[in-house]
Amino acid sequence: MGSRTGGVPLTPPEFEWPRCRECEGPMQFLAQICLADADPGSTGLLSVFMCQNEPGLCEEWDATAGGNSAFVFGSDATRAAPVPDDGVTLLDETSAIGFAQIEGYDYLGARDRWTRETRRSVPQVLGQVGGRPAWLQNDETPDCAVCDQPMSFIVQLEEGHDYRTSANFGGGGCGYGFRCRSCGDAAFLWQR
């Protein structure tokens, strides 16, 4: 149950693939993040979906408009979800997420330092887990729909290193995943 982008999500048995509230098509699975990777001692998965059936027409960038979905799954998330036959549901490629811990920097500084030290390109950075989000616009930390408290940041995702792995965050945007530690609710949004 590693953190990754793409592939088929691991879900509990009763899971139903999310559909966009606007176009009613099935959403595209983007990523699953092991909560322990972002918050040591935590268990479970954060799974993120976003509508790509009519890019730009459904409000998939907004945490509450219905064009995206995020779920926190527990230890019962062990089976590959049945993938709908219609709509745009999967990325073209699966990418395992490797981690590099760089102390003393915010995300953008750590990303720049990593690219200098490894001599690899910025698009090879898939994002960050834990820490603080590096907002491209204003802080849009969502409040939990259940308890009305600000959610905890879990992951910031970059679009990906090539067209096969890329999520569509408006061309150069970032996605942000959150969860409520108290209620188990989750949310996702993106900015460009």
Side-chain angles (χ1 to χ4, degrees):
M1 285 202 324
S3 292
R4 62 182 163 84
T5 61
V8 177
L10 295 177
T11 63
E14 70 281 356
F15 177 76
E16 290 185 29
W17 199 278
R19 291 193 167 264
C20 177
R21 276 197 313 236
E22 293 186 47
C23 74
E24 299 181 5
M27 294 185 189
Q28 183 180 52
F29 172 66
L30 299 180
Q32 74 176 24
I33 306 299
C34 287
L35 293 175
D37 290 340
D39 187 11
S42 292
T43 60
L45 298 170
L46 173 72
S47 292
V48 178
F49 296 78
M50 183 174 78
C51 183
Q52 283 300 284
N53 297 304
E54 299 178 36
L57 297 180
C58 300
E59 295 184 32
E60 73 275 356
W61 57 86
D62 188 289
T64 60
N68 66 57
S69 289
F71 303 90
V72 174
F73 297 132
S75 60
D76 61 343
T78 57
R79 72 169 185 87
V83 180
D85 292 331
D86 62 323
V88 179
T89 55
L90 301 174
L91 294 173
D92 290 336
E93 191 172 283
T94 303
S95 294
I97 297 175
F99 297 97
Q101 189 162 351
I102 300 177
E103 299 290 334
Y105 291 85
D106 64 5
Y107 170 63
L108 298 177
R111 183 184 70 183
D112 292 344
R113 180 174 176 191
W114 181 85
T115 59
R116 279 193 314 275
E117 289 177 358
T118 63
R119 296 180 187 201
R120 294 169 76 184
S121 65
V122 169
Q124 292 190 354
V125 175
L126 293 177
Q128 69 168 331
V129 293
R132 294 181 184 180
W135 295 105
L136 299 180
Q137 298 176 20
N138 297 321
D139 184 334
E140 291 187 61
T141 301
D143 290 334
C144 175
V146 177
C147 70
D148 205 34
Q149 295 299 309
M151 290 184 154
S152 299
F153 173 69
I154 299 297
V155 65
Q156 179 169 343
L157 297 170
E158 299 283 348
E159 287 189 326
H161 62 275
D162 67 32
Y163 71 93
R164 293 178 316 229
T165 60
S166 286
N168 180 8
F169 301 141
C174 286
Y176 304 86
F178 297 83
R179 74 161 173 160
C180 178
R181 284 191 174 98
S182 301
C183 302
D185 202 18
F188 179 76
L189 62 101
W190 64 265
Q191 293 182 346
R192 180 173 165 275

